[in-house]
């Protein structure tokens, strides 16, 4: 059962596609303080809270506060409150000791909102608005006839997913391994990467092009010096079975003669400052204007630009910097330069020194800058911060809608960094600029259920970490987990250790792991498509499957993947195994490769699971099966799941 309530005067977001009748009054069980702009509810002492999409900390979100305001935040540390997405759906699960019931809630507001889940007061759940204008959707558990009569968390999630629309389905080739780095500068570097993977026998389906493929970081351009005949090069890669996937950024370079800029000015497609002129900020190319993606005609104009690269043979894109990220605004930069002069010849004490540091460090992504420009949205002029969380959603929506016009009979790859609920209908996401830390391997495991709850099924983290220098052991363990995620991409930052898999000492282990991924793709893709079509979760923690098992609620590092299997990745340095909890008897298959494995049944309860680096333990549920393909170098060579009959594992 779903009920809809209104607070203030909400801004329509287009995130919910099913019409829900508006109920009167306030959300039952919650109190609204109009003066403090706060919704409050007392929590059961042992209640858990799940959801909120891409965020820090564990699967159970209780005990911290989370700010929903899409942020260009490369430091995914426990003390952070915002990452790239604004995914305001959660499920509240009380203990069985009180009289509260499980429910889900979606807070549909495009501006900044804070979810204080027992942070300031451990027994209070508070939703704190900047502007108290929102729709709230209350989803109560009920028997679900389409889910074998199941109730509980999965039924709540399924009801919510139905009202926000079908999840994006990526092409099957996108489940192949992808190699990325900031940056592969020219054709020869891309060829070297492709040649090395083929030479070492490590399967590969895509190579990503970061910002340096462009001409001076201008969207929808290609450097003629570094890629002199881009269509021919794309064709060359396709003949090898490889897809090139270029990046597209939100900011449009201000440059006379650059047609995207000139058209944007002529067509009134850029956001405005308070004086009505195009707002000027800076990102990769320096000074830019931001398209007003909240305008339908701007989305159509910008979306058509993808045609240029698609006409060259490109069939996949990743949208970046679309929170939007702002290096500095032109107006504030001038203020900083003026202020810096006052520090010359000054004796800088602790206060003035930190103030000086703050001037430079505070240039990027300032809240004041987000309050200094405006959109035209559904007939209104709205200040950006009030609709901030819709920006990346609508940039990606522009591409998704354009693909339906440009290539209606194909299924291009598309994923984004910034997100809001509703964007899941057009694209997937990656979890942003993580680090080569063991803690971020664990974080990438724990983020997947929350993303699935909000409709983002095509998701994954940068394998090995984007920033920092990855160790070989960490890369092996990360790949051992990443072989189960839909987006399976190795991506790293300029200046870090080169982490292409063929560069490590133990390339044999890397090859066997990626081969195992390709053997798994028929299962993973069929389960992924099924989850999308039936509004289900691909990744589920134990607590969602065994709600009456109190032990399951405390397990945050084991995940079910599809209907048949459960994984328990190793995510600690120098470990040769880990402890697992099994709520029921399962078959363990310990893979050293797709064809080298051993099997045993493990009883319900606690076990120490041995797993050397390069070994991948997979648990198969009773009555279920897992079929593997013989691995190949490209996904195009893989059969369908129901055609497999050689490597069949039954639980």
């Amino acid at each position: 059962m779903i009920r809809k309530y209104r607070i203030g005067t909400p801004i329509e977001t287009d995130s919910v596609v099913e019409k829900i009748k508006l109920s009167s009054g306030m959300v039952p069980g919650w109190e609204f303080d109009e003066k403090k702009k706060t919704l409050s509810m007392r929590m059961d002492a042992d209640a858990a809270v799940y959801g909120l999409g891409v965020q820090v900390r564990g699967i159970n979100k209780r005990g911290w506060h989370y700010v929903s305001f899409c942020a260009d935040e490369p430091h995914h540390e426990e003390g952070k409150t915002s990452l790239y997405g604004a995914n305001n759906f959660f499920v509240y699960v009380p203990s069985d000791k009180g009289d509260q019931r499980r429910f889900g809630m979606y807070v549909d507001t495009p501006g900044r909102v804070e979810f204080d889940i027992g942070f300031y007061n451990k027994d209070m759940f508070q939703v704190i608005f900047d502007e108290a204008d929102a729709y709230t959707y209350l989803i109560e558990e009920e028997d679900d006839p389409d889910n074998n009569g199941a109730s509980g968390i999965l039924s709540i999630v399924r009801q919510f997913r139905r009202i926000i629309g079908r999840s994006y389905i990526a092409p099957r080739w996108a489940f192949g391994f992808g190699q990325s780095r900031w940056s592969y500068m020219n054709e020869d570097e891309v060829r070297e990467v492709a040649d090395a993977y083929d030479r070492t026998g490590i399967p590969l389906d895509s190579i990503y092009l970061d910002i340096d493929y462009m001409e001076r970081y201008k969207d929808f351009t290609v450097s003629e010096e570094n890629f002199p005949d881009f269509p021919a090069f794309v064709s060359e890669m396709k003949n090898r079975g490889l897809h090139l996937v270029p990046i597209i950024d939100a900011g449009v370079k201000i440059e006379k003669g650059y047609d995207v800029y000139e058209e944007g000015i002529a067509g009134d497609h850029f956001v405005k400052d308070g004086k009505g002129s195009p707002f000027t900020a800076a990102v990769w190319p320096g000074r830019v204007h931001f398209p007003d993606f909240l305008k339908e005609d701007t989305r159509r104009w910008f979306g058509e630009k993808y045609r240029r690269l698609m006409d060259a043979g490109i069939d996949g894109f990743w949208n970046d910097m679309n929170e939007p990220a702002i290096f500095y605004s032109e107006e504030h930069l001038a203020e900083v330069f003026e202020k810096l002069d006052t520090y010359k010849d000054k004796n800088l004490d602790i206060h003035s020194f930190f103030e000086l540091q703050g001037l430079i460090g505070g240039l990027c992504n300032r809240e004041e800058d987000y309050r200094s420009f405006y959109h035209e949205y559904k007939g209104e002029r709205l200040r950006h911060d009030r609709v901030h969380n819709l920006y990346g959603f609508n940039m990606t929506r522009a591409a998704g809608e354009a693909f339906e016009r440009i290539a209606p009979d194909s299924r291009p790859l598309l994923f984004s960094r910034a997100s809001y609920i509703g964007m899941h209908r057009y694209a997937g996401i990656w979890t942003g600029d993580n680090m080569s830390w063991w803690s971020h391997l664990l974080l990438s495991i724990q983020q997947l259920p929350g993303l699935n709850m909000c409709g983002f099924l095509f998701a994954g983290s940068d394998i090995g970490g984007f920033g920092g220098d990855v160790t070989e052991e960490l890369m092996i363990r990360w790949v051992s987990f990443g072989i189960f995620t839909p987006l399976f991409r190795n991506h790293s930052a300029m200046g870090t250790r080169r982490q292409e898999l063929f560069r490590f000492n133990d390339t044999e282990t890397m090859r066997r792991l990626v081969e195992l991924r390709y053997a798994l793709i028929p299962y993973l893709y069929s389960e992924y498509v099924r989850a999308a079509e039936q509004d289900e979760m691909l990744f589920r923690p134990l607590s969602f499957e065994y709600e009456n098992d109190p032990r399951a609620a405390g397990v945050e590092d084991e995940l079910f993947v599809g209907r048949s299997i459960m994984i328990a990745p190793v995510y600690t340095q120098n470990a040769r195994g880990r402890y697992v909890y099994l709520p029921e008897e399962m078959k363990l298959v310990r893979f050293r490769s797709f064809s080298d494995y051993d099997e045993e049944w493990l009883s319900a309860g606690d076990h120490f699971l041995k797993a050397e680096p390069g070994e991948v333990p997979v648990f198969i549920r009773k009555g279920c099966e897992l079929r593997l393909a013989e691995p190949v170098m490209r996904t195009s060579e893989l059969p369908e799941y129901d055609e497999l009959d050689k490597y069949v594992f039954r639980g």
Side-chain angles (χ1 to χ4, degrees):
M1 177 185 296
I2 302 176
R3 285 179 283 174
K4 177 181 178 181
Y5 299 88
R6 181 172 58 204
I7 300 172
T9 307
I11 296 170
E12 300 288 344
T13 65
D14 297 339
S15 60
V16 175
V17 296
E18 185 175 309
K19 290 191 177 297
I20 307 292
K21 183 180 178 181
L22 191 64
S23 299
S24 60
M26 192 52 59
V27 188
W30 294 74
E31 294 183 1
F32 180 62
D33 186 322
E34 190 170 355
K35 186 176 181 181
K36 294 181 179 179
K37 301 179 182 178
T38 300
L39 265 177
S40 301
M41 181 193 75
R42 182 161 293 280
M43 291 193 291
D44 182 300
D46 297 315
V49 178
Y50 302 109
L52 298 184
V54 58
Q55 263 294 0
V56 296
R57 300 196 172 226
I59 294 174
N60 180 359
K61 298 302 182 185
R62 184 166 184 162
W64 189 241
H65 60 128
Y66 308 86
V67 175
S68 182
F69 195 80
C70 296
D72 173 19
E73 180 51 80
H75 302 292
H76 306 178
E77 299 154 2
E78 284 190 33
K80 299 299 181 181
T81 57
S82 299
L83 292 183
Y84 307 96
N87 313 127
N88 304 343
F89 171 64
F90 62 86
V91 173
Y92 176 77
V93 183
S95 70
D96 57 6
K97 300 173 185 176
D99 57 359
Q100 290 182 310
R101 294 191 66 190
R102 288 170 290 207
F103 67 86
M105 194 159 115
Y106 172 40
V107 181
D108 187 11
T109 180
R112 186 183 187 277
V113 59
E114 178 180 354
F115 296 87
D116 178 347
I117 311 175
F119 175 63
Y120 287 105
N121 182 330
K122 66 182 180 66
D123 295 323
M124 291 297 295
F125 192 140
Q126 294 188 312
V127 182
I128 306 162
F129 300 92
D130 264 18
E131 300 288 340
D133 299 307
Y135 289 115
T136 56
Y137 294 82
L138 181 68
I139 303 106
E140 296 177 305
E141 64 174 315
E142 61 180 15
D143 288 341
D144 186 346
D146 294 328
N147 196 25
N148 298 319
S151 61
I153 301 171
L154 292 174
S155 172
I156 290 168
V157 171
R158 198 176 202 194
Q159 289 181 73
F160 173 65
R161 292 269 303 281
R162 282 173 179 160
I163 70 169
I164 61 174
R166 181 67 50 81
S167 294
Y168 161 78
I169 297 178
R172 192 166 76 148
W173 66 260
F175 273 60
F177 179 55
Q179 180 59 60
S180 181
R181 183 172 172 86
W182 173 31
S183 270
Y184 297 132
M185 296 293 189
N186 53 49
E187 289 184 0
D188 288 340
E189 284 196 35
V190 175
R191 287 192 187 98
E192 287 171 9
V193 169
D195 291 346
Y197 273 103
D198 284 350
R199 185 173 61 251
T200 52
I202 301 174
L204 182 71
D205 263 87
S206 55
I207 298 177
Y208 286 76
L209 303 179
D210 211 314
I211 56 176
D212 291 294
Y213 81 91
M214 303 178 198
E215 179 195 335
R216 292 178 293 119
Y217 312 124
K218 295 188 294 185
D219 276 342
F220 308 110
T221 67
V222 177
S223 168
E224 293 184 3
E225 179 181 355
N226 296 323
F227 297 89
D229 189 343
F230 191 63
F233 182 61
V234 175
S235 179
E236 174 191 329
M237 289 294 108
K238 280 199 169 182
N239 289 337
R240 297 180 62 170
L242 294 172
H243 301 258
L244 296 180
V245 185
I247 196 170
I248 302 293
D249 287 330
V252 172
K253 181 177 174 62
I254 299 171
E255 179 179 280
K256 286 191 175 181
Y258 170 36
D259 61 342
V260 179
Y261 164 71
E262 298 281 11
E263 289 177 20
I265 292 292
D268 193 28
H269 290 305
F270 297 127
V271 299
K272 303 292 199 309
D273 62 21
K275 298 177 182 178
S277 299
F279 173 71
T280 301
V283 200
W284 302 115
R287 295 166 67 243
V288 300
H289 293 325
F290 291 115
D292 190 352
F293 296 118
L294 276 64
K295 292 170 61 175
E296 185 176 353
D297 60 339
T298 297
R299 287 199 303 275
R300 187 175 186 91
W301 164 73
F302 193 86
E304 281 297 313
K305 299 304 175 190
Y306 288 82
R307 186 188 296 270
R308 296 181 180 181
L309 294 169
M310 295 179 81
D311 285 347
I314 294 296
D315 52 7
F317 299 89
W318 48 309
N319 287 344
D320 194 14
M321 305 295 281
N322 53 353
E323 291 75 31
I326 297 176
F327 289 175
Y328 60 83
S329 67
E330 188 174 55
E331 184 175 347
H332 181 59
L333 183 64
E335 295 171 348
V336 168
F337 279 131
E338 185 176 342
K339 180 70 173 176
L340 286 174
D341 285 337
T342 67
Y343 289 89
K344 288 181 179 178
D345 303 320
K346 185 176 181 179
N347 178 26
L348 299 179
D349 62 12
I350 183 172
H351 302 293
S352 53
F353 174 71
F354 286 143
E355 187 181 62
L356 175 62
Q357 276 192 320
L359 279 175
I360 303 302
L363 278 170
C364 189
N365 302 320
R366 295 170 68 243
E367 290 190 12
E368 292 86 348
D369 287 336
Y370 289 127
R371 291 195 290 266
S372 67
F373 61 94
Y374 296 81
H375 296 270
E376 292 178 29
Y377 183 53
K378 297 185 182 294
E380 292 186 72
R381 181 175 182 264
L382 294 174
R383 199 174 67 189
H384 172 79
D385 60 305
R386 295 193 63 201
V387 290
H388 172 81
N389 292 332
L390 296 182
Y391 193 79
F393 165 16
N394 279 283
M395 177 189 179
T396 301
R397 179 182 180 179
E401 291 173 339
F403 295 165
E404 294 174 5
R405 299 188 299 269
I406 298 169
D409 298 323
S410 66
R411 184 179 287 158
L413 169 63
L414 181 63
F415 60 92
S416 168
R417 191 170 76 175
S419 64
Y420 187 81
I421 288 171
M423 196 195 81
H424 71 286
R425 300 191 295 269
Y426 302 96
I429 72 166
W430 96 101
T431 58
D433 297 343
N434 57 0
M435 297 292 289
S436 298
W437 297 344
W438 289 93
S439 61
H440 278 188
L441 170 54
L442 174 59
L443 180 62
S444 70
I445 296 166
Q446 295 175 330
Q447 287 175 326
L448 286 168
L451 286 166
N452 278 199
M453 290 170 68
C454 296
F456 296 100
L457 299 182
F458 187 80
S461 64
D462 287 339
I463 302 297
F466 175 73
D469 294 326
V470 68
T471 65
E472 183 163 323
E473 182 192 10
L474 175 56
M475 179 58 81
I476 287 173
R477 293 299 193 188
W478 211 317
V479 171
S480 298
F481 163 66
I483 63 175
F484 297 97
T485 63
L487 176 60
F488 181 41
R489 180 181 75 149
N490 177 339
H491 183 44
S492 57
M494 184 184 294
T496 64
R497 173 184 184 173
R498 297 298 294 254
Q499 65 183 46
E500 294 88 355
L501 299 185
F502 57 79
R503 297 185 187 277
F504 292 92
N505 293 319
D506 193 356
T507 55
E508 174 63 19
T509 292
M510 300 297 186
R511 180 185 61 79
R512 286 190 284 104
L513 288 172
V514 180
E515 282 184 340
L516 180 56
R517 160 59 171 221
Y518 277 66
L520 283 161
I521 284 175
Y523 170 78
L524 293 172
Y525 193 72
S526 64
E527 290 296 299
Y528 161 75
V529 172
R530 181 182 182 278
E533 291 179 343
Q534 299 193 17
D535 300 318
E536 294 182 352
M537 296 174 63
L538 181 63
F539 293 93
R540 305 174 308 286
L542 269 60
S543 55
F544 285 33
E545 293 283 328
Y546 303 94
E547 295 187 42
N548 296 321
D549 183 343
R551 288 287 308 281
V555 178
E556 298 215 335
D557 55 3
E558 301 172 23
L559 295 176
F560 286 100
V561 185
R563 290 169 291 175
S564 296
I565 66 174
M566 188 189 83
I567 60 173
V570 176
Y571 53 87
T572 51
Q573 183 171 292
N574 298 320
R576 293 298 179 266
R578 52 158 293 173
Y579 285 94
V580 297
Y581 171 68
L582 301 183
E584 63 177 325
E585 184 182 23
M586 294 185 190
K587 176 182 277 190
L588 167 64
V589 185
R590 184 183 285 102
F591 289 101
R592 288 169 289 276
S593 73
F594 80 99
S595 59
D596 179 12
Y597 53 85
D598 51 56
E599 304 176 66
E600 63 178 308
W601 280 94
L602 294 183
S603 61
D606 298 294
H607 301 270
F608 182 78
L609 176 67
K610 293 181 180 180
E612 294 290 326
E615 291 185 329
V616 180
V618 176
F619 296 88
I620 303 177
R621 304 178 81 171
K622 269 189 173 182
C624 297
E625 70 175 20
L626 172 65
R627 301 181 184 185
L628 296 185
E630 295 196 47
V632 294
M633 290 296 290
R634 307 286 188 258
T635 56
S636 59
E637 303 166 22
L638 285 168
E640 298 299 323
Y641 186 66
D642 58 9
E643 297 172 356
L644 304 176
D645 58 12
K646 185 173 181 181
Y647 296 98
V648 181
F649 304 87
R650 293 186 172 89

